[in-house]
PDB file of all heavy atoms in Angstrom:
ATOM      1  N   ILE A 148      32.110   0.649   5.613  1.00 94.00           N
ATOM      2  CA  ILE A 148      30.674   0.509   5.346  1.00 94.00           C
ATOM      3  C   ILE A 148      30.336   1.084   3.975  1.00 94.00           C
ATOM      4  O   ILE A 148      29.580   0.484   3.198  1.00 94.00           O
ATOM      5  CB  ILE A 148      29.857   1.204   6.448  1.00 94.00           C
ATOM      6  CG1 ILE A 148      29.991   0.444   7.769  1.00 94.00           C
ATOM      7  CG2 ILE A 148      28.385   1.302   6.049  1.00 94.00           C
ATOM      8  CD1 ILE A 148      29.269   1.096   8.937  1.00 94.00           C
ATOM      9  N   LYS A 149      30.900   2.236   3.662  1.00 93.00           N
ATOM     10  CA  LYS A 149      30.642   2.860   2.361  1.00 93.00           C
ATOM     11  C   LYS A 149      31.099   1.966   1.224  1.00 93.00           C
ATOM     12  O   LYS A 149      30.442   1.869   0.181  1.00 93.00           O
ATOM     13  CB  LYS A 149      31.334   4.221   2.295  1.00 93.00           C
ATOM     14  CG  LYS A 149      30.708   5.267   3.215  1.00 93.00           C
ATOM     15  CD  LYS A 149      31.548   6.520   3.294  1.00 93.00           C
ATOM     16  CE  LYS A 149      31.577   7.266   1.986  1.00 93.00           C
ATOM     17  NZ  LYS A 149      32.296   8.558   2.108  1.00 93.00           N
ATOM     18  N   SER A 150      32.222   1.304   1.429  1.00 95.00           N
ATOM     19  CA  SER A 150      32.737   0.407   0.395  1.00 95.00           C
ATOM     20  C   SER A 150      31.871  -0.845   0.263  1.00 95.00           C
ATOM     21  O   SER A 150      31.525  -1.260  -0.849  1.00 95.00           O
ATOM     22  CB  SER A 150      34.174   0.009   0.729  1.00 95.00           C
ATOM     23  OG  SER A 150      34.664  -0.944  -0.191  1.00 95.00           O
ATOM     24  N   ASP A 151      31.510  -1.428   1.407  1.00 95.00           N
ATOM     25  CA  ASP A 151      30.710  -2.658   1.384  1.00 95.00           C
ATOM     26  C   ASP A 151      29.331  -2.432   0.763  1.00 95.00           C
ATOM     27  O   ASP A 151      28.803  -3.303   0.057  1.00 95.00           O
ATOM     28  CB  ASP A 151      30.533  -3.199   2.806  1.00 95.00           C
ATOM     29  CG  ASP A 151      31.836  -3.714   3.408  1.00 95.00           C
ATOM     30  OD1 ASP A 151      32.766  -3.983   2.624  1.00 95.00           O
ATOM     31  OD2 ASP A 151      31.912  -3.832   4.646  1.00 95.00           O
ATOM     32  N   LEU A 152      28.754  -1.270   1.038  1.00 96.00           N
ATOM     33  CA  LEU A 152      27.374  -1.009   0.626  1.00 96.00           C
ATOM     34  C   LEU A 152      27.278  -0.070  -0.573  1.00 96.00           C
ATOM     35  O   LEU A 152      26.216   0.499  -0.827  1.00 96.00           O
ATOM     36  CB  LEU A 152      26.587  -0.422   1.802  1.00 96.00           C
ATOM     37  CG  LEU A 152      26.502  -1.293   3.058  1.00 96.00           C
ATOM     38  CD1 LEU A 152      25.713  -0.582   4.152  1.00 96.00           C
ATOM     39  CD2 LEU A 152      25.850  -2.630   2.744  1.00 96.00           C
ATOM     40  N   ALA A 153      28.352   0.075  -1.310  1.00 96.00           N
ATOM     41  CA  ALA A 153      28.359   1.005  -2.444  1.00 96.00           C
ATOM     42  C   ALA A 153      27.272   0.664  -3.461  1.00 96.00           C
ATOM     43  O   ALA A 153      26.550   1.553  -3.946  1.00 96.00           O
ATOM     44  CB  ALA A 153      29.737   1.004  -3.108  1.00 96.00           C
ATOM     45  N   THR A 154      27.135  -0.606  -3.777  1.00 96.00           N
ATOM     46  CA  THR A 154      26.126  -1.012  -4.759  1.00 96.00           C
ATOM     47  C   THR A 154      24.723  -0.766  -4.229  1.00 96.00           C
ATOM     48  O   THR A 154      23.842  -0.287  -4.960  1.00 96.00           O
ATOM     49  CB  THR A 154      26.291  -2.500  -5.113  1.00 96.00           C
ATOM     50  OG1 THR A 154      27.605  -2.720  -5.635  1.00 96.00           O
ATOM     51  CG2 THR A 154      25.260  -2.928  -6.148  1.00 96.00           C
ATOM     52  N   TYR A 155      24.513  -1.072  -2.957  1.00 96.00           N
ATOM     53  CA  TYR A 155      23.189  -0.856  -2.352  1.00 96.00           C
ATOM     54  C   TYR A 155      22.812   0.621  -2.378  1.00 96.00           C
ATOM     55  O   TYR A 155      21.696   0.983  -2.775  1.00 96.00           O
ATOM     56  CB  TYR A 155      23.181  -1.380  -0.921  1.00 96.00           C
ATOM     57  CG  TYR A 155      21.896  -1.076  -0.184  1.00 96.00           C
ATOM     58  CD1 TYR A 155      20.747  -1.811  -0.435  1.00 96.00           C
ATOM     59  CD2 TYR A 155      21.832  -0.034   0.741  1.00 96.00           C
ATOM     60  CE1 TYR A 155      19.559  -1.526   0.224  1.00 96.00           C
ATOM     61  CE2 TYR A 155      20.654   0.254   1.402  1.00 96.00           C
ATOM     62  CZ  TYR A 155      19.518  -0.491   1.140  1.00 96.00           C
ATOM     63  OH  TYR A 155      18.346  -0.194   1.787  1.00 96.00           O
ATOM     64  N   PHE A 156      23.749   1.480  -1.970  1.00 96.00           N
ATOM     65  CA  PHE A 156      23.461   2.914  -1.958  1.00 96.00           C
ATOM     66  C   PHE A 156      23.215   3.438  -3.371  1.00 96.00           C
ATOM     67  O   PHE A 156      22.369   4.307  -3.588  1.00 96.00           O
ATOM     68  CB  PHE A 156      24.614   3.675  -1.304  1.00 96.00           C
ATOM     69  CG  PHE A 156      24.736   3.447   0.175  1.00 96.00           C
ATOM     70  CD1 PHE A 156      25.974   3.333   0.781  1.00 96.00           C
ATOM     71  CD2 PHE A 156      23.604   3.329   0.972  1.00 96.00           C
ATOM     72  CE1 PHE A 156      26.084   3.118   2.147  1.00 96.00           C
ATOM     73  CE2 PHE A 156      23.704   3.110   2.336  1.00 96.00           C
ATOM     74  CZ  PHE A 156      24.950   3.002   2.925  1.00 96.00           C
TER      75      PHE A 156
END
Side-chain angles (χ1 to χ4, degrees):
I148 291 177
K149 291 171 67 175
S150 175
D151 292 341
L152 300 179
T154 301
Y155 175 77
F156 290 141

